[in-house]
Amino acid sequence: MLDNTEFEWICANATPVLLYPGFISDDALVKPGEIVAAAYDGSDGIALYGNRDKVLALLLRLADAVRNAPPVPTTDACIAATTNPSTWKPGPLTEALAPTTRAWPLCDAETLQPIAADPRLATCSDCVNAFNARGPLTTLRLVHFLPNQP
């Protein structure tokens, strides 16, 4: 679903604004009955639009997802080539652990790479794809879709 998606990337320090019907930007018009929740950081921005209740529901879902997110990796890390995805079982993940060491990764990099202490904390998409291609008991995901309700 997100294979060919492009995002407008802006910093979390961006300025949040609400735009009301009649406002025009990038050839888009805020229509009567709609509101736009937007954030911009000078030249770039992102905007969510729809009726007030739908924009609010989406923002609440995003806020809830951030509040309840599992630990977030704090450094770049691969998955060790010695990891066997068909037998690896996840245990409790209570903190964002740093990579344990440098070793050969699943992504076939030509040099030793930092290795995540837990495959769920890998940030290398090639390692995650290689892990998933080997028939894991637990599929790894770099994209986490949100439930319908906050």
Side-chain angles (χ1 to χ4, degrees):
M1 178 176 178
L2 291 176
D3 293 342
N4 296 313
T5 300
E6 292 186 24
F7 292 99
E8 294 295 327
W9 293 83
I10 60 168
C11 178
N13 294 331
T15 303
V17 294
L18 295 179
L19 308 176
Y20 284 82
F23 182 88
I24 299 174
S25 177
D26 291 334
D27 298 325
L29 170 68
V30 180
K31 298 175 183 173
E34 292 183 341
I35 192 169
V36 176
Y40 69 95
D41 60 5
S43 61
D44 293 322
I46 188 167
L48 305 171
Y49 73 93
N51 72 39
R52 183 176 176 263
D53 292 338
K54 288 183 180 180
V55 171
L56 176 61
L58 180 55
L59 290 171
L60 289 174
R61 285 175 59 202
L62 290 169
D64 190 56
V66 171
R67 182 182 308 105
N68 295 306
V72 176
T74 55
T75 57
D76 289 332
C78 287
I79 299 171
T82 56
T83 302
N84 184 348
S86 65
T87 60
W88 180 80
K89 295 180 184 176
L93 186 59
T94 58
E95 59 183 283
L97 303 172
T100 57
T101 185
R102 289 187 178 272
W104 295 109
L106 277 178
C107 65
D108 292 328
E110 295 181 7
T111 59
L112 297 176
Q113 298 294 316
I115 301 299
D118 185 305
R120 292 171 291 179
L121 297 175
T123 61
C124 173
S125 60
D126 290 337
C127 277
V128 170
N129 291 337
F131 183 96
N132 290 338
R134 296 182 184 186
L137 291 173
T138 303
T139 303
L140 301 181
R141 302 194 191 291
L142 294 175
V143 176
H144 298 270
F145 292 94
L146 305 183
N148 286 332
Q149 299 297 323

